[in-house]
Amino acid sequence: MDHEADAYRTDLMTITRYVLNEQSRNPEARGDLTILLSHIVLGCKFVASAVNKAGLAKLIGLAGETNVQGEEQKKLDVLSNEVFIKALVSSGRTCVLVSEEDEEATFVEPALRGKYCVCFDPLDGSSNIDCGVSIGTIFGIYMIKDKENVTLEDVLQPGKNMVAAGYCMYGSSCTLVLSTGNGVNGFTLDPSLGEFILTHPDIKIPKKGKIYSVNEGNAKNWDDPTAKFVEKCKFPKDGSSPKSLRYIGSMVADVHRTLLYGGVFLYPADKKSPNGKLRVLYEVFPMSFLMEQAGGQSFTGKERALDLVPTKIHERSPIFLGSYEDVEEIKVLYAQQEK
């Protein structure tokens, strides 16, 4: 790639231009989703800026301690949550919000209501901030039938009903990966322009990967199919090379690598967490939606992840997602156990 020539390109596909192009493909679209996405993008830019200052903020008392004026400062995950709630409510396009940080769902006041529900994790992996590991925001968007009479039941839809999903990763660069149901695209924040630029068009996950990603510290509590699959990754009996283990412990970073390089990300149920650990509405569903849109698949150990119907907003589920053939192997092992 000619980086010098790239630096002077003037035909940049920004995320705003991309979303407007998608809107023009649907003559019936009224621009509501475009406006909502632009507010999410603004929230991501704000959080990216705050994350970049996190180390410095700690030095000058802006990370949850009391500052010199005696004012209590907000921790980054609480700040991120407030940023997204305010951005989403002020868009005028949402009627109910579900956040990882809030026990209850937030119902938007009637005057500001729109037809969308957004489920999000404002700062996934926030315990990794101090050691510089990539963290991120994950979101999924649904349409609500009747914005005037919205209830919690309207939020508890299967993941296959999503109209859009994505994540923003705050790491060595700030990358936003988005799908509106028409493939997956990745955008990188250009700090000099303050714009997300299309850098990863039409992401397709390889059919089979060479990497598996799992917390092996939980191995003694795994069920049989998970243990067999990981054993197969390490000691393949067909003469192929063993898979490499890569586990960051930040879902956004692990899934991002899986999406680009192929392989499989596992967070199975085990004796300690019989329902798995990752939350359905704002972790499992958005990531599963992106994986399927990129040609991979996602499985809970019992069914396709996007077919799951949650019964509460913070419900958890086991998850296996990634390259199509790798997840297929896991499905075979679970089918054998059923017999």
Side-chain angles (χ1 to χ4, degrees), residues 11 27 58 80 102-103 107 123 169 172 178 183-184 197-198 206 208 240 257 269 272 278 290 293 298 302 307 326:
D11 62 335
K58 193 149 194 179
S80 305
D102 297 328
E103 208 168 310
F107 289 91
L123 208 58
M169 185 174 74
S172 54
L178 174 71
V184 181
I197 309 296
L198 181 64
K208 195 170 175 63
S240 60
R257 184 202 54 249
K272 205 169 61 179
L278 297 176
L290 290 167
Q293 286 290 323
S298 184
K302 290 183 179 147
D307 287 339
D326 291 325

Side-chain angles (χ1 to χ4, degrees), residues 36-51:
L36 175 56
L37 287 169
S38 72
H39 279 72
I40 290 174
V41 167
L42 180 63
C44 291
K45 287 179 187 173
F46 187 100
V47 174
S49 169
V51 167

Side-chain angles (χ1 to χ4, degrees), residues 214 222-231 266 268-269 320 333-334:
V214 67
W222 285 344
D223 62 13
D224 211 34
T226 305
K228 279 182 178 165
F229 178 76
V230 171
E231 185 74 5
L266 309 82
F320 305 86
L333 291 166
Y334 272 96

Side-chain angles (χ1 to χ4, degrees), residues 225-242:
T226 305
K228 279 182 178 165
F229 178 76
V230 171
E231 185 74 5
K232 201 172 167 187
C233 290
K234 294 178 181 178
F235 307 104
K237 293 194 169 75
D238 58 2
S240 60
S241 299

Side-chain angles (χ1 to χ4, degrees), residues 16-199:
T16 311
R17 188 173 147 199
Y18 169 80
V19 172
L20 285 167
N21 285 357
E22 285 294 297
Q23 182 190 321
S24 63
R25 284 189 194 192
N26 300 298
E28 73 287 353
R30 290 175 40 212
D32 287 340
L33 185 60
T34 304
I35 291 165
L36 175 56
L37 287 169
S38 72
H39 279 72
I40 290 174
V41 167
L42 180 63
C44 291
K45 287 179 187 173
F46 187 100
V47 174
S49 169
V51 167
N52 285 340
K53 293 179 196 151
L56 181 63
K58 193 149 194 179
L59 289 176
I60 55 176
L62 296 174
E65 290 98 25
T66 304
N67 69 7
V68 287
Q69 284 86 25
E71 298 164 330
E72 183 67 24
Q73 296 297 324
K74 292 191 172 81
K75 279 200 180 294
L76 212 46
D77 43 5
V78 178
L79 179 71
S80 305
N81 189 45
E82 282 190 16
V83 165
F84 278 104
I85 294 234
K86 284 177 177 157
L88 292 165
V89 170
S90 66
S91 73
R93 300 300 182 275
T94 59
C95 54
V96 58
L97 311 173
V98 172
S99 165
E100 192 264 347
E101 288 287 321
D102 297 328
E103 208 168 310
E104 306 288 334
T106 300
F107 289 91
V108 179
E109 59 181 271
L112 287 170
R113 274 186 193 171
K115 60 184 178 183
Y116 292 106
C117 156
V118 183
C119 303
F120 62 100
D121 186 344
L123 208 58
D124 185 73
S126 53
S127 60
N128 289 315
I129 291 169
D130 286 350
C131 61
V133 168
S134 295
I135 51 182
T137 298
I138 310 172
F139 60 90
I141 303 172
Y142 296 90
M143 201 178 280
I144 299 289
K145 293 185 199 76
D146 180 4
K147 66 178 183 183
E148 306 308 329
N149 299 304
V150 64
T151 67
L152 213 49
E153 292 304 307
D154 295 310
V155 179
L156 302 172
Q157 303 184 39
K160 62 186 175 191
N161 292 359
M162 267 185 198
V163 292
Y167 60 82
C168 186
M169 185 174 74
Y170 316 110
S172 54
S173 59
C174 178
T175 308
L176 197 151
V177 174
L178 174 71
S179 175
T180 53
N182 187 25
V184 181
N185 290 278
F187 303 82
T188 303
L189 184 63
D190 181 336
S192 62
L193 295 173
E195 283 280 9
F196 280 99
I197 309 296
L198 181 64
T199 49

Side-chain angles (χ1 to χ4, degrees), residues 205-206 211 213 253-265 291 321-323:
I205 185 168
I211 296 171
S213 185
D254 278 313
V255 170
H256 185 65
R257 184 202 54 249
T258 305
L259 197 59
L260 296 185
Y261 301 160
V264 63
F265 170 83
M291 276 298 164
L321 50 79
S323 294

Side-chain angles (χ1 to χ4, degrees), residues 214-223 226 247 266-273 277:
V214 67
N215 182 353
E216 290 231 27
N218 294 331
K220 71 170 189 166
N221 295 317
W222 285 344
D223 62 13
T226 305
Y247 186 70
L266 309 82
Y267 212 116
D270 58 31
K271 295 186 187 105
K272 205 169 61 179
S273 309
K277 199 166 171 208

